[in-house]
Amino acid sequence: MQRLSLVLVLLLAALVGGETAAAQGSKGSLEVSGRVSAGGQQLKLKRKRFYLFRGGLDANRALIDRIKAATPTTRDCFYCRQKASAEYVAWLKAGDCESPYCREITTDDVAKVPEFIAAYKKGLVQYKNKQDIARKWVTNNLPAALRDGFYTEEKTLLNSILGGVKPVQSSMTDSVSVVSIFIDIPLNIDKAAAKQTEPFVVSNLLPIEIGDKSYVWACEVEIGSAKKIKAPSLPIVDSSKLVKKCEVVVRNLPKCTNGSCGQ
């Protein structure tokens, strides 16, 4: 009798699991372009991360409210507070970088940027005057705040915005096609339903700085299993304008003067 009961329990579990797999077996994909138009120019948002959340804008209202209420620190203001040199900030901006890990530090860079010069000289002492090694390890010999302080601050902000919500996936735009691709997105679609798509929200969550403003997008997109879905183009708009199926948080970037930031 006990053995029969065990068999029945296992059979029931298999049936329930089979029904769940059938309902959730479909998978979709999404492509987000990092090419945007602003000021009559086509811009490429390279190395920018986007996050995917199940449900539409209404279902993710609490998340969007946290995005709007957030008080992010801009790149310039962070490095301004750290008393970074104008040359260091210019080097970051030239590659649209947020940290020195963004791109290679060349010999020419070391000669022009005071922070790199100091780190290089420190490396020469550490590595017994081996110039190539000292240059390659310049990043490690920078002060921690200049090396990864901005990343740490943004990570704290990101966790605050998420508020415990876990995205379905995240993906970063590359440096060539400037596209962020989500694949094998699990879909909760009733195969008997007429509508064979499910709403999601895609957002960068953390502000992306363009010109003298920063932007956070939260756009609703329908994803199905039939083909790869392309998200609507990211709109560059004034915050007072309504964009269909998208909410855009636009902020003016504060100016750094004498080590402090203000509008």
Side-chain angles (χ1 to χ4, degrees):
M1 177 65 82
Q2 290 180 343
R3 184 177 180 182
L4 178 59
S5 298
L6 178 60
V7 170
L8 290 173
V9 169
L10 292 175
L11 180 60
L12 178 62
L15 288 172
V16 172
E19 288 175 357
T20 303
Q24 299 182 345
S26 298
K27 292 183 179 181
S29 59
L30 174 69
E31 181 179 294
V32 179
S33 173
R35 298 172 187 269
V36 297
S37 297
Q41 294 182 315
Q42 283 289 326
L43 303 176
K44 298 178 180 180
L45 306 181
K46 301 178 181 179
R47 302 179 304 277
K48 304 302 181 186
R49 186 167 294 279
F50 289 84
Y51 301 81
L52 189 67
F53 299 90
R54 194 177 302 278
L57 290 172
D58 290 339
N60 287 283
R61 182 54 50 193
L63 174 67
I64 294 170
D65 287 344
R66 287 194 295 272
I67 291 174
K68 292 179 177 178
T71 54
T73 299
T74 65
R75 175 183 58 193
D76 281 11
C77 279
F78 175 84
Y79 288 106
C80 181
R81 291 203 308 261
Q82 304 305 320
K83 304 297 191 294
S85 69
E87 293 86 352
Y88 186 82
V89 174
W91 183 88
L92 290 170
K93 287 184 176 181
D96 191 22
C97 296
E98 296 174 346
S99 83
Y101 290 111
C102 171
R103 59 194 179 98
E104 181 185 2
I105 299 172
T106 65
T107 302
D108 190 46
D109 295 330
V110 171
K112 292 180 178 179
V113 180
E115 289 85 352
F116 294 163
I117 294 171
Y120 174 72
K121 289 180 177 178
K122 184 178 179 180
L124 286 177
V125 175
Q126 288 179 321
Y127 310 121
K128 299 180 180 180
N129 216 37
K130 294 180 180 178
Q131 297 180 12
D132 287 345
I133 296 177
R135 183 182 64 79
K136 289 179 181 178
W137 289 89
V138 160
T139 304
N140 277 33
N141 282 320
L142 288 169
L146 295 183
R147 186 175 62 243
D148 50 26
F150 187 59
Y151 166 80
T152 301
E153 191 157 320
E154 286 216 308
K155 186 176 180 180
T156 300
L157 175 63
L158 177 65
N159 289 335
S160 174
I161 291 172
L162 285 171
V165 175
K166 292 184 178 180
V168 176
Q169 289 183 20
S170 72
S171 178
M172 183 178 288
T173 57
D174 60 28
S175 299
V176 181
S177 63
V178 200
V179 168
S180 175
I181 298 177
F182 299 84
I183 61 172
D184 294 333
I185 302 166
L187 302 175
N188 296 331
I189 297 175
D190 184 351
K191 293 185 177 181
K195 187 177 181 181
Q196 292 296 303
T197 61
E198 183 182 356
F200 287 81
V201 164
V202 60
S203 174
N204 51 306
L205 294 184
L206 297 176
I208 293 176
E209 298 177 16
I210 301 174
D212 60 354
K213 298 181 184 296
S214 72
Y215 298 83
V216 180
W217 295 272
C219 295
E220 183 174 323
V221 59
E222 292 284 337
I223 300 177
S225 58
K227 61 180 181 179
K228 182 182 293 182
I229 303 297
K230 291 188 177 182
S233 298
L234 298 174
I236 300 290
V237 297
D238 181 84
S239 58
S240 65
K241 295 181 180 179
L242 179 65
V243 180
K244 186 177 180 180
K245 295 293 184 179
C246 275
E247 295 206 21
V248 190
V249 180
V250 185
R251 297 182 177 94
N252 292 319
L253 297 181
K255 306 298 181 183
C256 174
T257 306
N258 298 324
S260 63
C261 281
Q263 296 296 332

